[in-house]
Amino acid sequence: MTNIIRVGVTFPPELLEDLDKTIEKMGYDSRSKAIQDAVREFILEHKQLREEVGSRVGVLMMIYNHTVKGLQKALTDIQHEHGSVICSTMHIHLSKRDCLEAIAVRGEAIEIRKLAEELKTKRGVKLTKLMLAAP
Ligand code: NI
């Protein structure tokens, strides 16, 4: 029998509502099982990204809440620090609160990954998707 550890996690209400709707549609009968599966995928994606080496081109998509204090400046600072792998950035104002940025990237996979992780882990960043190809 596998040991189970209970952890407490906080969610914004709308995220939890979306999660419950999604897992119900998918057929999960347990929220815990769905979250465990999502965490496994998160870890796998991170491991795969860490193992990538060599030159890559691609797009980093990011959705964030621009009303979170200091976030806009932090995201701009990070992009300036990693300017050598950024070709261009497109900004779309999705709603009064949310922005989408599509960042075209080109350079060493490890540098692109650092950029993606620094952006992803900031509070107020809701989603990042990194799509890379070998040129
Ligand atoms: Ni905007």
Side-chain angles (χ1 to χ4, degrees):
M1 174 95 185
T2 312
N3 282 332
I4 296 292
I5 299 169
R6 185 176 289 272
V7 293
V9 181
T10 58
F11 280 86
E14 67 275 12
L15 179 60
L16 194 59
E17 199 178 303
D18 279 352
L19 174 69
D20 286 342
K21 279 184 196 160
T22 303
I23 66 180
E24 193 191 330
K25 279 183 193 159
M26 290 174 80
Y28 282 104
D29 53 15
S30 144
R31 192 192 265 167
S32 290
K33 161 81 170 127
I35 292 172
Q36 287 165 24
D37 287 356
V39 168
R40 281 191 197 97
E41 275 182 43
F42 179 87
I43 292 169
L44 181 67
E45 191 184 311
H46 180 77
K47 277 184 184 162
Q48 283 171 344
L49 207 54
R50 283 204 168 267
E51 284 162 9
E52 266 194 86
V53 286
S55 186
R56 294 286 184 278
V57 291
V59 178
L60 173 64
M61 186 190 82
M62 167 172 71
I63 295 175
Y64 63 92
N65 177 349
H66 82 97
T67 66
V68 171
K69 198 166 182 280
L71 180 60
Q72 190 86 61
K73 183 186 182 306
L75 298 178
T76 303
D77 286 349
I78 292 166
Q79 291 188 52
H80 278 264
E81 280 165 29
H82 297 275
S84 64
V85 294
I86 297 177
C87 305
S88 95
T89 301
M90 179 171 66
H91 185 107
I92 302 165
H93 309 302
L94 291 180
S95 66
K96 282 198 170 179
R97 204 181 55 179
D98 291 337
C99 301
L100 181 151
E101 279 186 14
I103 305 168
V105 290
R106 178 179 215 155
E108 282 301 309
I110 191 166
E111 289 302 320
I112 297 170
R113 176 176 53 75
K114 275 186 206 161
L115 166 69
E117 287 181 356
E118 283 183 34
L119 295 171
K120 184 186 187 82
T121 51
K122 287 278 167 287
R123 192 175 68 86
V125 175
K126 295 174 166 183
L127 177 83
T128 59
K129 278 280 173 198
L130 181 59
M131 290 152 285
L132 291 180

